[in-house]
Amino acid sequence: MLPWWFWVLLWTVLILATLLLAVLAGFRLFRRAMSVLDGASDAADHISGEFAKPGTAVAYEPVVRRYPHGTDATHGEREEISELRHLGKAERIEARRVKRVARRSNRGQAQNMRDLNLF
């Protein structure tokens, strides 16, 4: 059987080793977190610098609603709302067709006969 002071010494060494390991792991984790934050700060500076260049601001036009929505749609005339909805849908389809024709012509690709409205 071992003397009592050996057990006290053993547990003291084990507890101190565990505390030292926890402190070292915490310090390493703190240094890595700070390097990640520095990298994020550099990235944010780079991105904000790109947006600060003159001429990069884009002015968007307000979105025009094609058909009623919300309470206007639920309390309006059914035929009128349906007509406006179909009109908006036709406008969107036509806008997609025009963009498709322009894109294919820029790339030198063949066009669909339906897209050209020849027939």
Side-chain angles (χ1 to χ4, degrees):
M1 184 94 182
L2 296 173
W4 65 270
W5 56 267
F6 175 77
W7 293 108
V8 170
L9 181 64
L10 178 68
W11 281 104
T12 304
V13 169
L14 287 175
I15 290 172
L16 287 176
T18 304
L19 288 175
L20 179 65
L21 182 66
V23 166
L24 289 176
F27 182 69
R28 185 175 179 198
L29 181 65
F30 176 75
R31 289 187 58 196
R32 285 190 177 185
M34 292 307 290
S35 67
V36 166
L37 289 177
D38 287 341
S41 172
D42 292 342
D45 290 342
H46 178 70
I47 290 172
S48 66
E50 290 295 320
F51 285 131
K53 290 181 181 176
T56 57
V58 178
Y60 293 103
E61 295 179 12
V63 176
V64 178
R65 292 203 166 88
R66 304 265 188 238
Y67 54 90
H69 68 285
T71 57
D72 293 337
T74 55
H75 299 298
E77 294 294 326
R78 181 184 173 119
E79 294 81 21
E80 180 185 347
I81 292 170
S82 178
E83 182 182 330
L84 289 173
R85 184 175 158 268
H86 289 303
L87 179 65
K89 185 176 179 180
E91 288 175 358
R92 290 189 300 273
I93 289 171
E94 179 62 20
R96 284 194 302 267
R97 186 193 68 78
V98 168
K99 284 199 288 189
R100 184 171 47 247
V101 168
R103 182 180 65 240
R104 286 186 174 190
S105 101
N106 287 339
R107 293 179 181 174
Q109 296 174 333
Q111 299 287 340
N112 287 336
M113 297 302 274
R114 286 181 305 206
D115 286 345
L116 297 176
N117 289 332
L118 295 177
F119 298 106

